[in-house]
Amino acid sequence: MVAEALAAGSGDVDLLIRTGGEKRLSDFLLWECAYAELWFTDRMWPDFDAADLDAAVREFRGRERRFGGVPETAAHAGTLMPIGV
């Protein structure tokens, strides 16, 4: 119920920031986070500030988002040629 209220009309999650040193989703917006980028910090929520958010967003912008796909180089690395071609 809480997840539905928080996600109503907001679409899928692009960046999920988890504070407090935990490295798990705890079933929070699990489906909406399927292709989200995850960013973990040991900083506790009350201490999380604009500089922390800026660091998370900077790292997010530098990531290659493939939405479940594989990198172009990896996609062709295992390509087999048919015999007799």
Side-chain angles (χ1 to χ4, degrees):
M1 179 184 248
V2 172
E4 290 174 15
L6 291 172
S10 63
D12 293 335
V13 177
D14 288 314
L15 173 63
L16 179 99
I17 299 171
R18 178 70 193 249
T19 61
E22 296 290 340
K23 293 188 173 50
R24 56 192 168 91
L25 296 181
S26 302
D27 205 25
F28 180 73
L29 296 175
L30 191 58
W31 292 103
E32 293 82 2
C33 289
Y35 295 114
E37 297 295 319
L38 308 177
W39 195 77
F40 301 100
T41 179
D42 291 331
R43 188 173 301 253
M44 300 300 281
W45 174 247
D47 301 322
F48 192 85
D49 59 16
D52 296 312
L53 181 59
D54 185 54
V57 170
R58 253 187 286 117
E59 184 175 319
F60 171 76
R61 286 182 179 162
R63 293 184 181 183
E64 176 189 354
R65 301 200 64 208
R66 299 186 305 266
F67 302 97
V70 295
E72 185 66 28
T73 55
H76 298 294
T79 303
L80 300 175
M81 293 295 292
I83 296 175
V85 173

